[in-house]
Amino acid sequence: MTKTKDLVKAIIKGIQEKKGQGIVVADLNGIDGTICSYFVICQGNSPMQVQAITDSVEETARLEVQEKPVRIVGQENALWVAMDYTDVMVHIFVPDMREYYHLEDLWEDAHLERVPDLD
Protein backbone atom coordinates (compact mmCIF):
# COMPACT_ATOMS: atom_id res chain seq x y z
CA MET A 1 0.00 0.00 0.00
CA THR A 2 2.96 2.34 0.56
CA LYS A 3 3.73 2.34 -3.17
CA THR A 4 0.13 3.30 -3.91
CA LYS A 5 0.27 6.15 -1.38
CA ASP A 6 3.57 7.31 -2.90
CA LEU A 7 1.86 7.29 -6.30
CA VAL A 8 -1.00 9.43 -4.94
CA LYS A 9 1.57 11.91 -3.55
CA ALA A 10 3.37 12.06 -6.91
CA ILE A 11 0.05 12.63 -8.71
CA ILE A 12 -0.82 15.49 -6.35
CA LYS A 13 2.61 17.02 -6.93
CA GLY A 14 2.13 16.78 -10.70
CA ILE A 15 -1.25 18.50 -10.43
CA GLN A 16 0.11 21.27 -8.22
CA GLU A 17 3.06 21.91 -10.55
CA LYS A 18 0.57 23.06 -13.20
CA LYS A 19 -1.65 24.95 -10.74
CA GLY A 20 -4.47 22.41 -10.76
CA GLN A 21 -7.21 23.32 -8.30
CA GLY A 22 -9.77 21.66 -6.07
CA ILE A 23 -7.77 18.49 -5.50
CA VAL A 24 -9.80 15.80 -3.74
CA VAL A 25 -8.47 12.34 -2.89
CA ALA A 26 -11.22 9.78 -2.37
CA ASP A 27 -10.00 6.77 -0.38
CA LEU A 28 -12.05 3.82 -1.65
CA ASN A 29 -10.28 1.13 0.37
CA GLY A 30 -12.73 -1.16 2.14
CA ILE A 31 -15.70 -0.19 -0.02
CA ASP A 32 -17.29 -3.06 -1.94
CA GLY A 33 -17.55 -2.77 -5.70
CA THR A 34 -14.84 -0.21 -6.26
CA ILE A 35 -12.57 -0.40 -9.29
CA CYS A 36 -9.50 0.99 -7.55
CA SER A 37 -8.17 2.12 -4.17
CA TYR A 38 -8.12 5.89 -4.80
CA PHE A 39 -9.73 8.52 -7.01
CA VAL A 40 -7.77 11.75 -7.37
CA ILE A 41 -10.00 14.50 -8.73
CA CYS A 42 -9.00 18.02 -9.75
CA GLN A 43 -9.66 20.72 -12.31
CA GLY A 44 -7.91 23.07 -14.67
CA ASN A 45 -9.41 26.31 -15.96
CA SER A 46 -9.23 25.38 -19.65
CA PRO A 47 -8.65 22.38 -21.92
CA MET A 48 -5.07 23.60 -22.38
CA GLN A 49 -4.47 23.56 -18.62
CA VAL A 50 -6.17 20.15 -18.29
CA GLN A 51 -3.74 18.79 -20.88
CA ALA A 52 -0.77 20.42 -19.11
CA ILE A 53 -1.86 18.84 -15.80
CA THR A 54 -2.22 15.45 -17.52
CA ASP A 55 1.30 15.69 -18.94
CA SER A 56 2.70 16.80 -15.58
CA VAL A 57 1.02 13.95 -13.67
CA GLU A 58 2.29 11.42 -16.19
CA GLU A 59 5.86 12.74 -16.00
CA THR A 60 5.94 13.17 -12.20
CA ALA A 61 4.58 9.65 -11.55
CA ARG A 62 7.08 8.19 -14.01
CA LEU A 63 10.06 10.01 -12.49
CA GLU A 64 9.18 9.73 -8.80
CA VAL A 65 7.61 6.27 -8.48
CA GLN A 66 8.38 4.67 -11.86
CA GLU A 67 4.68 4.29 -12.70
CA LYS A 68 3.03 4.77 -16.08
CA PRO A 69 -0.72 4.93 -16.66
CA VAL A 70 -2.31 1.84 -18.15
CA ARG A 71 -4.57 4.10 -20.18
CA ILE A 72 -5.39 7.77 -20.64
CA VAL A 73 -8.71 8.81 -22.18
CA GLY A 74 -10.23 12.18 -23.00
CA GLN A 75 -7.18 13.97 -24.35
CA GLU A 76 -8.88 14.69 -27.68
CA ASN A 77 -10.93 17.55 -26.26
CA ALA A 78 -9.38 17.72 -22.75
CA LEU A 79 -12.66 18.57 -21.02
CA TRP A 80 -12.37 15.48 -18.80
CA VAL A 81 -9.23 13.37 -18.83
CA ALA A 82 -9.14 10.06 -16.97
CA MET A 83 -5.79 8.44 -16.19
CA ASP A 84 -5.82 4.80 -15.10
CA TYR A 85 -2.95 3.73 -12.83
CA THR A 86 -4.81 0.50 -11.92
CA ASP A 87 -4.95 1.19 -8.15
CA VAL A 88 -5.41 4.95 -8.65
CA MET A 89 -7.72 6.74 -11.08
CA VAL A 90 -7.01 10.38 -11.84
CA HIS A 91 -9.82 12.62 -13.13
CA ILE A 92 -8.92 16.06 -14.47
CA PHE A 93 -11.84 18.28 -15.44
CA VAL A 94 -12.65 21.73 -16.71
CA PRO A 95 -14.92 23.37 -14.07
CA ASP A 96 -18.33 22.92 -15.74
CA MET A 97 -17.72 19.21 -16.47
CA ARG A 98 -16.58 18.64 -12.90
CA GLU A 99 -19.68 20.32 -11.56
CA TYR A 100 -21.91 18.28 -13.89
CA TYR A 101 -20.46 14.86 -12.96
CA HIS A 102 -19.53 15.65 -9.34
CA LEU A 103 -17.51 12.47 -8.80
CA GLU A 104 -16.90 13.43 -5.19
CA ASP A 105 -20.46 12.22 -4.46
CA LEU A 106 -20.15 8.97 -6.40
CA TRP A 107 -18.81 7.02 -3.42
CA GLU A 108 -20.59 8.41 -0.38
CA ASP A 109 -18.80 5.96 1.95
CA ALA A 110 -15.35 7.13 0.82
CA HIS A 111 -13.13 9.21 3.03
CA LEU A 112 -12.47 12.48 1.15
CA GLU A 113 -9.28 14.46 1.64
CA ARG A 114 -9.35 17.98 0.22
CA VAL A 115 -5.85 19.21 -0.66
CA PRO A 116 -5.50 23.00 -0.27
CA ASP A 117 -4.82 24.93 -3.48
CA LEU A 118 -1.35 26.41 -3.81
CA ASP A 119 -1.15 30.18 -4.20
Side-chain angles (χ1 to χ4, degrees):
M1 188 57 83
T2 303
K3 184 152 176 90
T4 302
K5 288 183 179 183
D6 290 343
L7 175 58
V8 169
K9 289 177 186 174
I11 289 166
I12 291 169
K13 181 178 179 181
I15 293 167
Q16 291 176 327
E17 285 182 1
K18 295 301 178 183
K19 308 277 190 256
Q21 298 176 325
I23 302 170
V24 174
V25 179
D27 183 344
L28 307 175
N29 286 292
I31 300 174
D32 290 338
T34 60
I35 58 171
C36 60
S37 296
Y38 294 92
F39 269 16
V40 179
I41 305 162
C42 72
Q43 68 188 44
N45 291 320
S46 67
M48 185 179 292
Q49 187 181 16
V50 167
Q51 186 59 55
I53 293 167
T54 302
D55 294 343
S56 180
V57 166
E58 186 172 14
E59 180 177 359
T60 305
R62 182 178 52 81
L63 294 174
E64 296 205 358
V65 291
Q66 295 72 51
E67 289 286 341
K68 293 182 182 180
V70 175
R71 185 151 188 224
I72 301 174
V73 296
Q75 290 182 292
E76 306 78 35
N77 57 19
L79 299 175
W80 174 8
V81 173
M83 304 177 77
D84 182 355
Y85 283 93
T86 307
D87 234 13
V88 181
M89 291 288 299
V90 183
H91 299 275
I92 308 165
F93 292 94
V94 293
D96 58 338
M97 294 293 280
R98 182 177 187 174
E99 186 176 322
Y100 180 79
Y101 288 102
H102 214 272
L103 291 185
E104 290 91 329
D105 290 337
L106 186 62
W107 304 101
E108 61 186 38
D109 294 342
H111 170 72
L112 300 180
E113 176 190 350
R114 298 183 190 284
V115 179
D117 292 341
L118 297 181
D119 291 334

